[in-house]
């Protein structure tokens, strides 16, 4: 399948194609939030509270979105976020995502809960690979994963700290998409009426490697998806502490990123404990409902640690304009979760590549229309703040061309 065949002109088109191809239970597992989905919806709505203020008569003919992260140049200010079930959306979906990231010149983050083993992703896809880690009650099992990631050549460790308990996702139970997976009349029917997914993904696993499993789990915890105990919550610890970060810092020699920070003090603590970067994230609105959106706290986190750490932001990004707004507020790069997952669910590697191509084009166009030549030129001066909350705290008032409603009134 070529990129053009997908007939997708934005991320929402890819979502529509994915919706038709994968079983509804799986689609909702990927697409939805938690409880009332307030966080999920706010993650999108919050971007409307930021408006652009472009400059004109600027020669932008040589503009570039090249971005340097930890001393390495990347072609776009984007990183593919870890998403545990990519390998269920498409046969070996993690390989598809990693290859698309490599071709686009950006890093790919492999999740602890992926279906394809981290060594295979490194051998068969290559590129700049990062590994996402959950802490388990038995810390030695998590440290075993860290050592495997080190041996396989992963360049950054992304420690997720906002998942000490799984989110309350009632639709998964209703749809029969729980882990351990159990076959029911409902979910078998759901699979049967999606034959492209059934034959191209599930049957392909069944006739090759058998029922998909969490390939990165240590032997002690590894099991096929239909066998227990497999619930992620049974393997994740809710007793995480800063000592865990200290221990990881000791055994991980490369870049260390803490994912799921929403508080400036936590961000400062993470950096004090050795983190090289923080990802300001609410897990795509999938864990705690009613939580702040990352973009709402990004300015204060940039203010607190922006000079001594690399700042990522994720949750709710669907457009190049969202990326540009996050960068203008001080993020060094953004992570995208569902966007490339919709792509891979819609068309495998070609779909993921299409998602990244859409972002590249949208960012390129937005930079032109804003009058910016480099990512470094993006700053709060590019934005109008409809309310004062999103405004960077350290920015002198008169440096802003923006006037928020309170200041104006
Ligand atoms: C289906 C799915 C699975 C995810 N699995 C993980 C995971 O295993 N580890 C993790 O740190 N984050 C996980 N996330 C969260 C993403 O890394 C990211 O924070 C989130 O998707 C960003 O929001 P967005 O989807 O709106 O871009 C997952 C997200 C989705 C949608």
């Amino acid at each position: 399948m070529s990129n053009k065949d997908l007939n997708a002109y934005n991320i929402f088109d890819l979502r529509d194609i994915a919706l038709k191809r994968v079983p509804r239970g799986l689609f909702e597992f990927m697409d939805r939030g938690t409880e009332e989905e307030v966080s999920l919806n706010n993650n999108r709505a919050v971007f409307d509270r930021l408006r652009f203020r472009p400059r004109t008569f600027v020669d932008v003919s040589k503009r570039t979105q090249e971005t340097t992260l930890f001393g390495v140049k990347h072609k776009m200010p984007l990183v593919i976020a870890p998403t545990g079930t990519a390998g269920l959306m498409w046969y070996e979906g993690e390989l598809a995502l990693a290859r698309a990231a490599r071709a686009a010149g950006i890093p790919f983050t492999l999740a602890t809960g992926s279906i394809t083993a981290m060594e295979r992703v490194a051998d068969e896809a290559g590129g700049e690979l990062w590994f996402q880690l959950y802490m388990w009650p038995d810390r030695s099992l998590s440290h075993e994963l860290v050592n495997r990631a080190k041996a396989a050549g992963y360049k950054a460790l992304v420690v997720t700290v906002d998942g000490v308990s799984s989110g309350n996702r009632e639709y998964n139970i209703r749809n029969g998409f729980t882990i351990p997976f159990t076959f029911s009349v409902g979910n078998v029917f759901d699979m049967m009426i999606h034959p492209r997914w059934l034959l191209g993904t599930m049957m392909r696993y069944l006739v090759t490697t058998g029922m998909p499993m969490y390939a990165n789990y240590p032997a002690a915890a590894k099991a096929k998806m239909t066998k227990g105990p497999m619930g992620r919550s049974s393997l994740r610890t809710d007793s995480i502490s800063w000592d865990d970060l200290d221990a990881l810092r000791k055994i991980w020699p490369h870049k260390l990123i803490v994912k799921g920070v929403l508080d400036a003090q936590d961000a400062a603590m993470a950096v004090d404990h050795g983190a090289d970067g923080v990802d300001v994230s609410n897990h795509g609105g999938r864990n705690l409902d009613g939580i702040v959106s990352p973009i709402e706290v990004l300015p204060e986190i940039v203010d607190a640690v922006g000079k001594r750490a690399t700042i990522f932001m994720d949750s709710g990004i669907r457009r190049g304009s969202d990326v540009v707004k996050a960068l203008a507020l001080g993020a060094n790069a953004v992570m995208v979760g569902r966007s490339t997952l919709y792509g891979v669910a819609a068309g495998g590697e070609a779909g993921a590549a299409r998602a990244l191509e859409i972002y590249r084009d949208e960012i390129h166009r937005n930079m032109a229309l804003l009058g910016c030549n480099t990512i470094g030129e993006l700053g709060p001066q590019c934005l109008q703040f409809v309310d004062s909350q999103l405004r960077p705290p350290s920015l002198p008032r008169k440096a802003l061309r923006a006037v928020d409603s309170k200041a104006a009134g």
Side-chain angles (χ1 to χ4, degrees):
M1 188 185 297
S2 86
N3 290 357
K4 305 289 171 215
D5 287 338
L6 285 172
N7 213 14
Y9 301 100
N10 58 42
I11 298 299
F12 304 102
D13 289 343
L14 288 170
R15 178 181 180 275
D16 289 344
I17 301 168
L19 174 61
K20 291 190 191 113
R21 187 185 157 268
V22 304
R24 183 197 159 105
L26 190 54
F27 181 82
E28 291 201 348
F29 177 84
M30 155 174 71
D31 186 62
R32 294 191 61 182
T34 186
E35 296 190 347
E36 303 304 307
E37 301 187 324
V38 173
S39 309
L40 181 80
N41 294 326
N42 191 48
N43 282 351
R44 289 292 309 132
V46 70
F47 284 104
D48 294 343
R49 287 158 53 195
L50 291 164
R51 313 266 156 84
F52 287 126
R53 298 194 54 117
R55 298 303 300 263
T56 192
F57 280 113
V58 181
D59 176 357
V60 287
S61 57
K62 296 189 181 62
R63 67 194 177 281
T64 169
Q65 53 185 286
E66 249 182 24
T67 303
T68 301
L69 298 173
F70 305 125
V72 180
K73 256 192 198 166
H74 299 285
K75 287 194 185 146
M76 295 164 68
L78 228 63
V79 175
I80 296 188
T83 51
T85 48
L88 288 184
M89 302 299 159
W90 190 269
Y91 180 71
E92 298 185 335
E94 291 94 2
L95 284 174
L97 282 171
R99 287 180 180 133
R102 183 187 184 170
I106 63 166
F108 166 68
T109 316
L110 185 75
T112 293
S114 62
I115 311 293
T116 312
M118 64 171 101
E119 291 82 3
R120 276 199 61 208
V121 176
D123 286 349
E124 296 178 33
E128 164 110 3
L129 297 175
W130 298 0
F131 184 74
Q132 177 269 328
L133 184 79
Y134 278 124
M135 291 310 294
W136 291 334
D138 179 350
R139 303 302 200 264
S140 69
L141 294 181
S142 293
H143 294 176
E144 204 179 290
L145 278 188
V146 174
N147 289 327
R148 274 176 63 190
K150 189 163 52 176
Y154 283 71
K155 294 280 189 295
L157 187 69
V158 179
V159 187
T160 302
V161 294
D162 61 2
V164 293
S165 168
S166 298
N168 182 20
R169 305 175 195 156
E170 293 141 7
Y171 49 87
N172 286 339
I173 303 169
R174 208 165 286 126
N175 291 330
F177 262 80
T178 52
I179 296 170
F181 186 79
T182 42
F183 290 100
S184 68
V185 175
N187 64 30
V188 169
F189 180 71
D190 191 11
M191 290 190 251
M192 302 281 282
I193 59 173
H194 292 92
R196 284 183 297 160
W197 177 86
L198 182 64
L199 296 174
T201 303
M202 186 49 94
M203 289 304 283
R204 229 173 132 187
Y205 279 123
L206 294 179
V207 299
T208 53
T209 45
M211 190 73 180
M213 46 181 177
Y214 289 134
N216 292 317
Y217 279 24
K222 201 182 263 183
K224 291 186 179 175
M225 286 228 164
T226 45
K227 301 222 179 100
M230 272 297 281
R232 289 174 303 164
S233 50
S234 70
L235 279 177
R236 272 192 226 159
T237 183
D238 55 3
S239 69
I240 196 164
S241 78
W242 293 108
D243 292 343
D244 287 307
L245 192 58
D246 292 337
L248 291 172
R249 183 66 287 179
K250 280 198 189 111
I251 61 170
W252 178 255
H254 308 301
K255 298 302 173 190
L256 184 62
I257 299 162
V258 177
K259 176 175 185 284
V261 173
L262 289 168
D263 179 89
Q265 233 176 321
D266 281 349
M269 293 272 283
V271 179
D272 291 345
H273 283 259
D276 302 289
V278 291
D279 177 29
V280 187
S281 162
N282 70 14
H283 216 100
R286 292 167 65 78
N287 283 348
L288 177 61
D289 202 25
I291 196 171
V292 288
S293 284
I295 203 97
E296 292 171 300
V297 291
L298 179 64
E300 61 197 66
I301 291 181
V302 170
D303 205 46
V305 295
K307 289 198 174 69
R308 53 194 190 114
T310 301
I311 314 266
F312 301 89
M313 176 267 159
D314 76 47
S315 299
I317 291 189
R318 301 289 182 274
R319 284 278 186 189
S321 57
D322 305 332
V323 178
V324 170
K325 286 174 182 177
L327 299 181
L329 282 178
N332 296 94
V334 304
M335 292 201 184
V336 288
R338 292 184 185 82
S339 302
T340 36
L341 210 49
Y342 294 143
V344 90
E349 184 181 338
R354 182 72 189 121
L356 296 176
E357 190 179 50
I358 287 167
Y359 273 112
R360 193 196 59 209
D361 292 350
E362 288 184 352
I363 294 167
H364 196 62
R365 187 179 306 110
N366 274 282
M367 285 177 71
L369 294 172
L370 272 173
C372 281
N373 274 302
T374 63
I375 293 299
E377 286 176 22
L378 294 170
Q381 76 285 354
C382 304
L383 298 174
Q384 163 111 10
F385 301 93
V386 179
D387 61 49
S388 57
Q389 194 199 349
L390 296 168
R391 194 165 59 189
S394 61
L395 206 68
R397 280 195 162 222
K398 61 182 183 211
L400 289 168
R401 281 184 290 139
V403 181
D404 65 53
S405 48
K406 273 194 193 138

